């Protein structure tokens, strides 16, 4: 197998991919027959197929349940394979697909909103609702990545941000409207359960129409691959064709989401498998990719059904990410991103002279502001009678539950901010953070797995398992980044893949965990509701110990961004120094994740605000970022607790809803 060129073209001359697909088809057929036999004994197949519809319960189970699910898995795979091919052709990005572009998340958010406030639309026209959300998300991603000329890394990061933002809004709505959206969590993971043939008929028509339109655009899309300059010289309006192809792909993706929920990574894997099978021309890929997508999703769903008999129903869409994310890592290992010409943000700033001497005055002002925010969060609140300060005689009573939450939020915000500074300095990437690189998701995965099997685990065991998960995610990311000497683009893309993989595993674990898993959903959103004095004390102690260890990394943080050769020449043992910083990042992230969940954007925004306030050197950034992170999370916890009183939003969720728009603005400004 040859490598992937800069344009993402894969050249294959070996027959093993076709043999692998034949074996996959055989495995899918065997699994399908076995799953059918679990519903209907083999001895009754002939009798049931000849019986009159509606007279036998097994006939209903097979013909209105199992067969529609089989058909919808094949159709959804084919549609996603076609959509992924169109996305990759239009954007010239081999990593583009509905999930990485935020299209699926936008469609899911639109369906959630219409379910709550316009259920009639969901009853009669769910496809149009999904299409509107998908188009809005897709064009936001394009607008965010336009300053970087739609580079694969820029598009992927923009898609991840939009996905996280839409997911946060969906999670907030699920927490606020639990009685109405109780089953949305499982459906959002991509459940292929069917009760009739309606979705099969609708999606089948959409697929046929999509294939017809795709072949009508075949020649313009083929010319478009030559570049805007060549296509323009041939009289082709590249902008119009690009919008037409992109809109068609979005419409196909929205149709799948409206039918079965979010199915991840099939749109990525199907075109890649088509190239491996020898489909090099666009015409060949338009035929081969839907076939590969149908095969992938059919095999995955039959495997899920086989294991669901023992573990309970698992969303098929979450299961596809278990192999789709590793495939993205494989493609990433062989795909060479185009040079962006952007200097790493810390390369020139690391050895600068000390910055503004007023940095310590700003630190003192931030500490005072943090103290004021802590006081307000403890004393100022909202009741059915309105906003007011708590009376002095009632303050001891309310402090019993307000103080632990505020202290835990302050400690977690501080640790995430420090972890963000360390990871940005280590990677030389201003968009790196524990949330975007999958470190928080790794810590969450370890903790979720532990709590599902041992709910009364000791705090030290929880911290140890979370730290191992965070460290494993970091090492997986950096092992891929090492192939290109820690390229910022490679680190971001690897982090996106690892984050998607770990979040999919978390979704599968939660979906199969029963009542205990349902209780974890609020924690995954970053809730401090159950924090008590013991948890707050532990969080504060960990924060103090870990933050006191960060000054030991000052010299490494100053020298490591200059590059491995320069660091070695200056006497730094690069592997040991990098491993020590990674271990500290993992501990900080794991300790914070125990309190506020896996996503909050504090680790990204706090270092940026510190730089905006004049912090250029590592020591100055480590001085300003912690109080900023603590201030943001304390404010988020107070807002989530008071704005919708008596309802409540988790602090991590509020921080994500506030931080994602800032990150979008940051992406718009990046050159």
């Amino acid at each position: 197998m040859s490598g992937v060129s800069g344009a993402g073209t894969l050249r294959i001359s070996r027959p093993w991919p076709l043999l692998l697909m034949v074996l996959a088809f055989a495995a899918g057929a065997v699994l399908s027959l076995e799953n059918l036999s679990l519903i209907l004994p083999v001895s009754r197949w002939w009798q049931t197929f000849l019986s009159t519809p509606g007279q036998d319960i097994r006939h209903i189970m097979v013909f209105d349940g199992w067969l529609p699910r089989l058909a919808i898995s094949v159709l959804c795979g084919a549609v996603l394979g076609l959509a992924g091919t169109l996305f990759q052709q239009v954007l010239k990005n081999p990593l583009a697909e509905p999930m990485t572009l935020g299209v699926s998340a936008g469609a899911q958010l639109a369906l959630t909103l219409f379910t709550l406030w316009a259920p009639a639309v969901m009853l009669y026209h769910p496809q149009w609702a999904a299409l509107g959300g998908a188009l809005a998300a897709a064009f936001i991603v394009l607008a965010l990545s336009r300053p970087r000329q739609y580079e694969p890394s820029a598009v992927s990061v923009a898609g991840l941000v939009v996905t996280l933002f839409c997911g946060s809004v969906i999670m907030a709505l699920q927490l606020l409207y639990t009685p109405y959206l109780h089953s949305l969590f499982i459906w959002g993971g991509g459940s292929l359960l069917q009760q009739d043939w309606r979705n099969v008929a609708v999606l089948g028509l959409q697929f046929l129409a999509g294939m017809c339109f795709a072949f009508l655009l075949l020649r313009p899309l083929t010319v478009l691959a030559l570049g805007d300059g060549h296509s323009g010289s041939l009289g082709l309006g590249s902008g119009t064709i690009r919008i037409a192809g992109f809109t068609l792909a979005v419409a196909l993706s929205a149709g799948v989401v409206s039918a079965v929920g979010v199915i991840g990574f099939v749109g990525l894997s199907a075109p890649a498998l088509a190239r491996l099978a020898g489909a090099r021309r666009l015409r060949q890929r338009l035929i081969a990719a839907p076939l590969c997508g149908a095969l992938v999703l059919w095999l995955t769903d039959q495997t899920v059904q086989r294991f669901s008999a023992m573990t309970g129903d698992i969303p098929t869409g979450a299961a596809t990410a278990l192999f789709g994310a590793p495939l993205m890592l494989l493609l990433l290992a062989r795909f060479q991103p185009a040079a962006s010409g952007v200097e790493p943000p810390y390369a020139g700033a690391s050895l600068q002279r000390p910055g503004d001497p007023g940095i310590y005055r700003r630190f003192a002002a931030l500490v005072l502001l943090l103290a004021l925010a802590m006081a307000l969060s403890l004393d100022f609140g909202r009741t059915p009678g309105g906003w007011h300060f708590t009376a002095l005689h009632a303050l001891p009573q309310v402090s019993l539950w307000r103080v632990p939450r505020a202290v835990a939020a302050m400690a977690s915000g501080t640790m995430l901010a420090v972890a963000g500074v360390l990871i940005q300095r280590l990677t030389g990437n201003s968009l790196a953070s524990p949330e975007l690189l999958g470190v928080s998701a790794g810590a969450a995965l370890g903790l979720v797995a532990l709590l599902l099997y041992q709910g009364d685990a000791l705090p030290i065991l929880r911290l140890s398992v979370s730290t191992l998960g965070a460290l494993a995610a970091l090492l997986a990311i950096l092992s891929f980044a090492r192939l290109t000497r820690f390229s910022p683009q490679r680190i971001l893309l690897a982090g996106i893949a690892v984050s998607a993989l770990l979040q999919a595993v978390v979704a599968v674990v939660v979906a199969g965990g029963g009542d205990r898993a349902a209780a974890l959903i609020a924690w995954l959103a970053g809730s401090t509701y159950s924090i008590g004095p013991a948890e707050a004390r532990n969080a504060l102690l960990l924060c103090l110990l870990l933050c006191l260890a960060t000054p030991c990394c000052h010299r490494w943080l100053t020298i490591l961004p200059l590059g491995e050769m320069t660091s070695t020449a200056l006497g730094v043992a690069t592997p040991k120094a990098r491993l020590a910083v990674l271990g500290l990042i993992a501990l900080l992230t794991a300790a914070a994740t125990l309190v506020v969940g896996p996503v909050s954007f504090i680790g990204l925004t706090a270092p940026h605000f510190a730089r905006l306030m004049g912090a250029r050197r590592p020591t100055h950034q480590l001085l300003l970022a912690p109080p900023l992170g603590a201030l943001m999370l304390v404010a988020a916890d107070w807002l989530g607790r008071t704005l919708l009183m008596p309802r409540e939003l988790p602090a991590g969720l509020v921080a994500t809803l506030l931080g994602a728009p800032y990150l979008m603005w940051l992406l718009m400004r990046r050159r």
Side-chain angles (χ1 to χ4, degrees), residues 211 241 282 328 347 414 444 562 645:
M211 286 293 289
I241 297 301
L282 179 59
M328 183 175 178
T414 300
L562 299 177
M645 190 75 183

Side-chain angles (χ1 to χ4, degrees), residues 618-652:
T619 50
H620 291 169
Q621 201 171 12
L622 287 172
L623 191 66
L624 295 187
L628 281 168
L631 177 62
M632 286 188 284
L633 203 51
V634 168
D637 181 61
W638 177 75
L639 289 172
R641 175 166 51 88
T642 58
L643 283 182
L644 300 178
M645 190 75 183
R647 294 178 177 179
E648 184 172 324
L649 287 177

Side-chain angles (χ1 to χ4, degrees), residues 79 83 87 103 127 131 134-135 206 246-256:
V79 171
F87 277 132
V103 173
Q127 295 84 4
L131 178 59
L135 284 173
Q206 290 178 352
F246 190 82
T247 304
L248 176 59
V250 170
L252 291 169
S253 306
V256 173

Side-chain angles (χ1 to χ4, degrees), residues 367-417:
V367 172
L368 289 176
L369 190 60
L370 175 60
L372 178 62
M374 290 285 290
L376 286 176
S377 69
L378 299 177
D379 190 45
F380 189 63
R382 183 183 180 187
T383 65
W387 296 89
H388 66 89
F389 288 95
T390 305
L392 289 178
H393 69 275
L395 195 58
Q397 287 78 18
V398 298
S399 297
L400 291 176
W401 60 278
R402 287 183 182 177
V403 170
R405 295 183 58 171
V407 170
M410 178 187 67
S412 300
T414 300
M415 288 186 286
L416 285 174

Side-chain angles (χ1 to χ4, degrees), residues 206-230:
Q206 290 178 352
F207 174 65
L208 291 177
M211 286 293 289
C212 292
F213 281 112
F215 274 95
L216 288 175
L217 295 172
L218 176 62
R219 294 187 66 182
L221 289 175
T222 304
V223 176
L224 190 65
L226 300 175
D228 292 346
H230 291 84

Side-chain angles (χ1 to χ4, degrees), residues 1 20 246 348 438 516 589:
M1 181 175 64
L20 185 62
F246 190 82
R516 186 182 296 176
T589 304

